[in-house]
Amino acid sequence: MRKLQLVYIVIFSFLPTFLLAQNSAKRAIAIDDIYRMAKVGSPQVSPDGKWVVYTVTTIDKEADKRRTALWMVNWEGTQDLQLTFGKQSSSSPKWSPDGKYLSFLSADGEKGKTQIWLLDRRGGAPQALTNVKENIDDYQWSPDGKRILLEMSEGDDVDPGQATKEGAAPKAAKPIVLDRYHFKHDVGGYITAASRSHLFLFDVESRKLETLTSARNFDDTDAEWSPDGKQIAFVSNHEKDPDQSPYNEIYVVDAHAGAAPRKVVSAYSAGGQRLSWSPDGNLIAYLLGYEAKYNAYNMNRLAVVTVANGTSRVLTEKFDRGVSSPKFTADGSAIEFLVPDDRSEYPAKISVNGGAVDRLAKGEFVAYSKSSVGGHTAVDVSTDAAAEEIYALESGNLRKLTSHNDALIAQWQLGAVEDISFKSQDGTEVHGLMVKPPSYDAAKKYPLVLWIHGGPNGQDDHALPFSLYPLQVERQIFAAQGYLVLAINYRGSNGRGAEFTRSILGDWGNKEVADLQAGVDWAIAKGIADPDRLGIGGWSYGGILTDYMVASDPRFKAAISGAGSANQLSMYGSDQYVLQYNNELGPPWKSQDTWIKVSYPFFHADQIHTPTLFMGGQSDFNVPIIGGEQMYQALRTLGVPTELVIYPEQFHLFTRPSYIHDRLQRYVAWFGKYLNTKN
């Protein structure tokens, strides 16, 4: 086996509380702090329940890259061990069924393919287990630990930029020939039949690789072994043109090459599937959405299907919240999952016979992922004042296991975060959050920044995650500059039930604008926001809504539209959402009036007088930069102060730390220029 050419050392990292924040002096959060933040996540409990492995992503400022390492904490939280070091990131940690090995995904060198590596718990350096041609996207150990199920694409036979021999110039890239309906996707770029994901069986002892599924017209993903290791369930779509079908078909196939898959049930889940076998192998839990036209506003329900005959039941039909990440309990009596609910997200469970949903932990927090083995459950959790860390969930209580960000956060004087609610223009109750400046004085009026979340079916919540999309950190950075920050969960957001989420279907920029305006009105009426110093901004759908708002409301003195669009008609075929558009709005040649209506910020750009900063990634296929370019060109034509910032080689979510830092600096500078916080 090849050895990973990195230095790997196992060290103990004790963080007693008396060493944290020994200096009681507090300071405001600073933009430069992003270089010191650690993103913690992906907990996996060991088979014996004694350890939890997890990932920690930090920034290598000199290299201008993020590095992800594996760590392991004992169940008592007294020993925290870093397992991997070096320039190559390690991800997707998983335990072998016997607990003797820790596996993970990593690459050998900057241009190496992503492979599975093994770390022997008895000691020694990690070694490469696989040596396959393409990048491994995901993998699952068989219950007996003898085989591993791989998910990966077959890929093209030739690297188009590869030199023929040492010293020779690289060959010209081959033309990209596209014949798929869904032909582009953010990060993945242009996609072809060779991009489709398939399943493979890898024998751990012999290193032999066998193909389990290979039909070039279909993607096969989200695979899970049956408890006895004889079958594999996976998600696919075998319709004539699966790219034009919204459905997820769940198949079961015997775990050997040449076996024919059998369809068990057809479902629809816009956000992707997650399968879980019952311990006896009789049932599979899966996610079930509503009609395809609700693609962007889907709220998944939990369902189970009987493997033998395909009979399915919906368990959460009367539960008006979405669910994600279902997993059967060890005894098979219930299924656990995560629930986004009105500014929080919590773990819950329901009996396999249906009934009431039981919340497993109380409080205002966001749980991002969890792992349960042998009665031990680890959860990745963040709150308003704490970044993501790993917690043990015991008898409804969260016990902290890791403290990677405590020392940094202890230095900060954060702004207070408060729940707010108010009535929109039509009487709809709207909820949100307000972040006050750290030195808030109730006798003063403050300049206001309305910072809008994306989605639209996301939500602003009680969390402070250090992620690639740091909305919560941005709120605190703005508050540290002296702004009152509003984060409004406008209609279309999740966490408030199906009707609230889908109420903007085919009617973009209407109810959301009314809700956001009502939030600003509320803050002004309360006497805490200065009506003469209002700012607005957001990223993705937050940028899109910024365009809608400044075209509808002249009160704002400064705006930031990040990764947004206003001429929605120009997005058809240039972004990745054509299936949503056809189902929700209809093709432009059939519903031209609807497309013009939802594009009103562009066609009414002459109503915009707010100085607006447009930003985006040059390689963004989610909301292509053309959306910002068009609005920038319109405002320049109209003589409205504007600027366009394009970040090279960045996708919808930025990965280069210096660009994330630069973006934050430009946010602060733009608002500072036009809102004049010193007055």
Side-chain angles (χ1 to χ4, degrees):
M1 293 187 288
R2 295 174 293 125
K3 291 188 177 181
L4 193 62
Q5 295 179 357
L6 304 173
V7 178
Y8 285 80
I9 306 172
V10 177
I11 64 171
F12 288 81
S13 176
F14 298 98
L15 292 172
T17 55
F18 71 86
L19 290 179
L20 302 177
Q22 295 185 45
N23 186 347
S24 59
K26 299 281 188 176
R27 64 173 177 83
I29 185 175
I31 294 174
D32 284 350
D33 284 331
I34 69 165
Y35 290 117
R36 303 172 60 194
M37 299 171 180
K39 169 71 171 66
V40 178
S42 304
Q44 295 290 318
V45 180
S46 63
D48 59 11
K50 295 181 179 180
W51 294 89
V52 182
V53 66
Y54 60 99
T55 60
V56 179
T57 302
T58 54
I59 290 175
D60 182 337
K61 186 176 181 180
E62 183 177 349
D64 202 12
K65 291 185 177 181
R66 290 173 177 252
R67 313 286 192 196
T68 301
L70 303 187
W71 286 65
M72 184 171 68
V73 62
N74 66 348
W75 190 247
E76 294 72 29
T78 57
Q79 297 181 34
D80 208 4
L81 319 177
Q82 185 170 356
L83 303 177
T84 65
F85 295 78
K87 294 182 178 180
Q88 300 309 310
S89 289
S90 306
S91 63
S92 301
K94 294 176 183 178
W95 298 93
S96 63
D98 59 10
K100 293 181 179 179
Y101 296 94
L102 183 62
S103 59
F104 59 93
L105 295 178
S106 188
D108 187 5
E110 292 291 335
K111 297 183 179 180
K113 298 292 185 180
T114 300
Q115 304 289 331
I116 298 175
W117 296 75
L118 285 187
L119 185 62
D120 193 325
R121 292 185 65 187
R122 294 166 294 185
Q127 296 183 328
L129 176 64
T130 62
N131 183 22
V132 295
K133 185 180 69 171
E134 296 301 322
N135 292 307
I136 296 174
D137 298 321
D138 199 4
Y139 69 101
Q140 302 289 342
W141 285 88
S142 65
D144 61 8
K146 295 181 179 180
R147 293 184 293 173
I148 299 178
L149 178 66
L150 309 183
E151 293 184 19
M152 60 183 179
S153 66
E154 293 182 340
D156 295 317
D157 292 332
V158 179
D159 181 356
Q162 183 179 355
T164 55
K165 60 181 179 179
E166 186 176 355
K171 293 181 179 179
K174 298 166 69 175
I176 302 172
V177 180
L178 301 168
D179 59 0
R180 288 183 55 175
Y181 188 75
H182 180 58
F183 69 94
K184 64 192 307 186
H185 203 88
D186 197 37
V187 182
Y190 291 109
I191 54 179
T192 65
S195 307
R196 293 196 183 277
S197 180
H198 301 299
L199 306 180
F200 302 83
L201 293 170
F202 180 81
D203 187 277
V204 175
E205 183 177 355
S206 68
R207 307 293 191 268
K208 182 181 179 181
L209 183 71
E210 292 184 322
T211 300
L212 186 63
T213 65
S214 60
R216 289 179 63 84
N217 290 333
F218 313 128
D219 281 295
D220 307 311
T221 62
D222 304 293
E224 294 287 339
W225 291 88
S226 64
D228 61 8
K230 295 181 179 179
Q231 294 181 304
I232 293 167
F234 65 95
V235 177
S236 191
N237 185 323
H238 289 192
E239 294 191 15
K240 183 177 181 180
D241 187 351
D243 286 348
Q244 296 198 56
S245 169
Y247 293 100
N248 313 126
E249 298 174 343
I250 299 173
Y251 288 81
V252 170
V253 63
D254 291 340
H256 61 80
R262 172 176 63 89
K263 185 168 72 173
V264 176
V265 68
S266 290
Y268 171 66
S269 170
Q273 268 295 353
R274 179 72 178 270
L275 308 180
S276 177
W277 288 81
S278 61
D280 61 11
N282 291 329
L283 300 174
I284 296 174
Y286 66 99
L287 300 174
L288 180 64
Y290 292 90
E291 298 175 58
K293 68 180 180 180
Y294 298 122
N295 179 291
Y297 323 102
N298 218 335
M299 196 181 76
N300 285 323
R301 297 161 290 170
L302 177 65
V304 293
V305 60
T306 302
V307 177
N309 58 23
T311 302
S312 62
R313 296 179 288 122
V314 180
L315 301 184
T316 60
E317 188 68 71
K318 297 181 180 180
F319 183 60
D320 194 23
R321 291 294 184 270
V323 304
S324 65
S325 305
K327 183 72 175 178
F328 271 93
T329 56
D331 62 5
S333 65
I335 301 171
E336 296 182 349
F337 44 86
L338 298 177
V339 179
D341 179 34
D342 196 11
R343 295 164 285 194
S344 294
E345 185 157 356
Y346 59 83
K349 72 175 181 179
I350 191 171
S351 166
V352 293
N353 298 316
V357 171
D358 296 326
R359 182 168 179 165
L360 299 180
K362 302 294 184 182
E364 294 180 337
F365 63 86
V366 174
Y368 295 95
S369 59
K370 72 179 187 68
S371 172
S372 298
V373 176
H376 287 183
T377 297
V379 191
D380 168 18
V381 168
S382 177
T383 67
D384 285 324
E388 291 171 79
E389 299 286 355
I390 307 302
Y391 290 75
L393 176 58
E394 299 172 318
S395 303
N397 298 310
L398 293 170
R399 177 172 57 85
K400 195 173 184 180
L401 297 178
T402 67
S403 302
H404 288 272
N405 293 289
D406 286 11
L408 175 61
I409 294 176
Q411 300 176 22
W412 297 341
Q413 183 181 2
L414 294 172
V417 181
E418 298 180 4
D419 284 342
I420 61 173
S421 64
F422 50 85
K423 297 290 186 180
S424 191
Q425 295 174 7
D426 62 358
T428 300
E429 182 175 321
V430 180
H431 297 169
L433 300 170
M434 176 172 62
V435 184
K436 295 178 177 179
S439 56
Y440 179 77
D441 182 348
K444 295 181 179 179
K445 290 183 179 180
Y446 287 86
L448 179 143
V449 168
L450 174 61
W451 201 240
I452 311 170
H453 73 73
N457 60 337
Q459 67 165 340
D460 282 301
D461 48 34
H462 289 287
L464 191 69
F466 297 159
S467 65
L468 295 176
Y469 193 28
L471 283 176
Q472 287 83 343
V473 173
E474 290 164 355
R475 296 194 311 235
Q476 287 290 347
I477 287 176
F478 294 144
Q481 301 297 316
Y483 300 112
L484 183 75
V485 184
L486 289 188
I488 306 301
N489 287 324
Y490 50 85
R491 273 172 282 187
S493 305
N494 68 13
R496 291 285 305 282
E499 182 178 352
F500 189 90
T501 300
R502 65 174 65 158
S503 62
I504 67 171
L505 177 76
D507 188 25
W508 309 338
N510 181 13
K511 297 182 179 69
E512 313 100 294
V513 167
D515 296 348
L516 294 170
Q517 288 177 319
V520 174
D521 293 341
W522 173 89
I524 293 173
K526 286 287 185 180
I528 55 179
D530 184 344
D532 296 323
R533 293 188 290 170
L534 303 178
I536 186 173
W539 197 264
S540 193
Y541 201 72
I544 292 171
L545 283 181
T546 296
D547 293 343
Y548 280 120
M549 285 288 285
V550 295
S552 306
D553 192 330
R555 292 180 293 176
F556 296 98
K557 298 299 187 292
I560 299 173
S561 177
S565 62
N567 181 6
Q568 311 307 346
L569 186 58
S570 69
M571 293 293 103
Y572 191 94
S574 63
D575 68 15
Q576 62 190 34
Y577 295 109
V578 66
L579 195 61
Q580 175 196 336
Y581 298 153
N582 285 345
N583 284 316
E584 182 177 351
L585 302 178
W589 50 91
K590 290 185 177 181
S591 50
Q592 181 178 339
D593 290 345
T594 300
W595 280 93
I596 296 297
K597 184 184 75 169
V598 299
S599 300
Y600 78 75
F602 181 75
F603 291 105
H604 295 85
D606 55 348
Q607 297 179 183
I608 300 174
H609 305 286
T610 303
T612 305
L613 171 64
F614 297 98
M615 314 177 85
Q618 187 178 33
S619 301
D620 188 348
F621 277 1
N622 189 313
V623 185
I625 191 62
I626 186 178
E629 291 172 336
Q630 290 176 325
M631 285 302 289
Y632 166 75
Q633 199 74 78
L635 295 197
R636 288 288 293 181
T637 299
L638 293 163
V640 178
T642 185
E643 191 172 290
L644 173 64
V645 182
I646 301 173
Y647 292 89
E649 300 178 349
Q650 295 302 287
F651 305 114
H652 194 60
L653 302 183
F654 289 5
T655 57
R656 187 176 288 275
S658 64
Y659 287 161
I660 297 172
H661 184 272
D662 180 87
R663 180 174 59 182
L664 288 171
Q665 287 182 315
R666 293 181 188 277
Y667 286 167
V668 170
W670 192 261
F671 284 140
K673 179 178 180 179
Y674 291 101
L675 300 186
N676 192 11
T677 60
K678 293 182 179 180
N679 288 346

